[in-house]
Amino acid sequence: MKRLILKHRLLTRWCHWINAAALAVMIWSGLLIYWSNNIYGIRIGDHTVMRLFPPGWFDRFGLGHRLAEGMAWHFAFMWLFTLNGVIYVLYTAVSGEWRHLLPERRSWRDAFLVLLHDLHLRKALPPQGRYNAAQRISYTGIIVMGAGSVVSGLAIYRPVQFRWLTALLGGYEWARFEHFWLMIGYVLFTIVHLIQVIRAGWGNFRSIIAGVESVDAGSTGVNAPLATEVTP
């Protein structure tokens, strides 16, 4: 027999999907901006072996020669991205949700055990809460990355007005470098996140849409910490 357990509250779900949409637009518009100065790649001395995005790549995907458009979209959605992030962090802090999200003392060890389980090298999982140890680390990490993107973005956007911030990050070029690689981190996180969602199945995906997850009656599994049962 199954029962429905509340897993994600309404504000958490709204922030999740707003962030997903805003981040997608930020990455797309960021690539439009990056095209104007495609500087990153593999170099030996003064010789460039390979650019990160080879010449012609942007034109092939329709990203070239759209700097002004990219900046307009990027600067517009950065406010949504930032505001949404601030609301989520404040809600997490005030509501006590942080207790289920922040890594614990044993989280790094347990995250390694989760990895071994996912690679089918270990049968048993370590004790699971609402989020397992690997999720605690990655979800907390993505919040820190979001803060890093806002800080480095401000340093690039207003290097004169925020010259102290730009200097703190190592200068304009370093701030841009950090901002760019944070974007690469989001892409890698999203790929892994989508793979894990597919592996977990429809029930897990439904929980981030409807907020509830179906579990066996009497189960004290991943949803126990929320301790809220929903009548079907």
Side-chain angles (χ1 to χ4, degrees), residues 7 9 12 91-102 130-131 226:
K7 186 174 183 180
R9 299 190 187 278
T12 299
Y91 167 73
T92 302
V94 172
S95 67
E97 293 284 300
W98 61 270
R99 296 185 181 90
H100 309 302
L101 187 67
L102 290 180
R130 192 191 312 171
Y131 304 112
L226 198 53

Side-chain angles (χ1 to χ4, degrees), residues 29 32-33 35-36 65-75:
S29 58
L32 296 182
I33 298 171
W35 175 88
S36 65
H65 308 287
R66 297 166 65 184
L67 174 61
E69 179 185 357
M71 293 179 67
W73 282 102
H74 208 70
F75 295 153

